[in-house]
Amino acid sequence: MNTQPTLTKDDGSTGTTGTPASSDGLKAGLKNRHLSMIAIGGVIGAGLFVGSGSGIAAAGPAILLSYALVGTMVVFVMRMLGEMAAARPSSGSFSAYADQALGRWAGFSIGWLYWFFWVVVLAVEATAGAVILESWIPAVPQWAWALIVMVVLTATNLASVASYGEFEFWFAGIKVVAIGAFVVIGLLAVFGVLPGSDNPGAGFAHLTDAGGFFPMGAGAILTGVLMVVFSFMGSEIVTLAAGESEDPQRAVTKATNSVIWRIGVFYLGSIFVVLTLLPWNDESIVEKGSYVAALDSIGIPHAGQVMNVIVLTAVLSCLNSGLYTASRMAFSLGQRGDAPKAFARTTARGVPRAAILGSVVFGFVAVFFNYKWPDTVFAFLLNSSGAVALFVWLVICVTQLRMRGIILRESPEKLVVRMWLFPYLTWATIGMIVFVLGYMIYDGGGAREQVVLSLLVAALVVAVALARERIGKSSAKL
């Protein structure tokens, strides 16, 4: 295991505030309610609200199986990650575990790839939020809204981890209430018991009355998988945040155990409601978005505006969490000597200021690229980070195969969360992820470009990692 460098405060002090410090210099400023909501809201990204209509159009009702397959894969990955995080809470999460189990090159590579993914997401979400805000207040240009959103959330993250937790608590809370209300109201309409509903209450007939359950063929399930897999990214954030909580082991255990019902209710439940309220080939699902179309079908007034507020909340939540996640990964890389040492320094409040600013600067640059060269430079950034989610999940699986033995040897009492049917389900999950990556290459189009470009960037990062390791060994011999 690597020796961690000594951490210092930005102001040179060694004193503490009222909030207890974690072992790596961060403050345990996240309360259990923060962690609970981060865990619940982490699986509800803006992609669920915005992108689900395209998936329904591509696979029909069979998109439910696509969501179920990816959801099962995420449940297994989260179980593996939960096993490691409960035993060894760390702000670097899977990157730190890969470092310990597979070698410095693995922790370096997946850590920087994950950081790259989230700083590109910052630009995507800032632009998405700016589009909505500009539609409400057109006097302020889109670029100014993107700037305002980024500055406000940067300030929040710089203030303290408790500020991030509080913002995320309310952002995630709005998403959870919105999805929960949508599912309940939608089901009442489906069964024809919602007072004043304009929907005739077709029940489950829409699942088969427009070409059957597989209108595009069974193969469309895999096409649907490619379209929905990235909307699940973010589930792992709670394991990074746990390192700054009052009781990391309890927080991770609770989050891991609840991931099944969270995916079941928020993803499968809400998509099921859409598909039972409307025929899958209803044009409004793509034109308005699946949730707005469903709300319109039952006569909910101002459904579009209501959903815009919820989507904006999801965008701000994703931005807030993306900046937090990128900065904590940069902080962990700095701790291990894989990033500038300044990234490993914390303020008196336990905030890794340099790591936050370094991440947001790249985010601002990416926003600029999105406005200046959306179809060239930014498209390259987007595609070259597109498959990183699958790479991260794959590394988590391979790492867990090795980490189980390490934990059993060094601290078996900390193995409070265990992966089911180890190692068989771990290997099965690895097979599922590799199959999805292979099918993305076979399927062609944008999916193939994403995998190829992401593999090229990953190969470059791994090459840098191996070169650093070789140089370090050569220096040690001198």
Side-chain angles (χ1 to χ4, degrees), residues 1 88 100 405-413:
M1 197 181 300
R88 300 186 175 192
Q100 298 162 22
I406 294 173
I407 295 169
L408 284 174
R409 284 197 305 272
E410 298 181 1
S411 49
E413 74 283 356

Side-chain angles (χ1 to χ4, degrees), residues 81-137:
L81 184 54
E83 175 180 298
M84 297 183 286
R88 300 186 175 192
S90 168
S91 60
S93 189
F94 50 84
S95 173
Y97 309 141
D99 193 307
Q100 298 162 22
L102 306 177
R104 287 289 297 274
W105 68 271
F108 176 96
S109 302
I110 203 63
W112 278 114
L113 284 172
Y114 192 67
W115 178 87
F116 174 57
F117 172 86
W118 279 110
V119 293
V120 172
V121 166
L122 290 181
V124 174
E125 300 297 343
T127 304
V131 169
I132 295 173
L133 289 166
E134 188 191 28
S135 71
W136 294 344
I137 309 176

Side-chain angles (χ1 to χ4, degrees), residues 6-17:
T6 303
L7 300 177
T8 58
K9 309 292 185 192
D10 282 348
D11 58 7
S13 68
T14 56
T16 60
T17 63

Side-chain angles (χ1 to χ4, degrees), residues 181-232:
F182 175 80
V183 171
V184 171
I185 293 171
L187 286 175
L188 290 175
V190 167
F191 290 106
V193 293
L194 182 68
S197 172
D198 294 341
N199 193 290
F204 303 128
H206 285 322
L207 294 175
T208 55
D209 65 3
F213 192 76
F214 301 97
M216 313 298 286
I221 296 173
L222 292 175
T223 303
V225 165
L226 305 188
M227 301 184 78
V228 306
V229 67
F230 303 110
S231 63
F232 283 86

Side-chain angles (χ1 to χ4, degrees), residues 46 124-126 128-130 132 153 310-320:
V124 174
E125 300 297 343
I132 295 173
L153 293 180
I310 295 168
V311 171
L312 179 63
T313 303
V315 164
L316 295 176
S317 171
C318 194
L319 254 176
N320 195 37

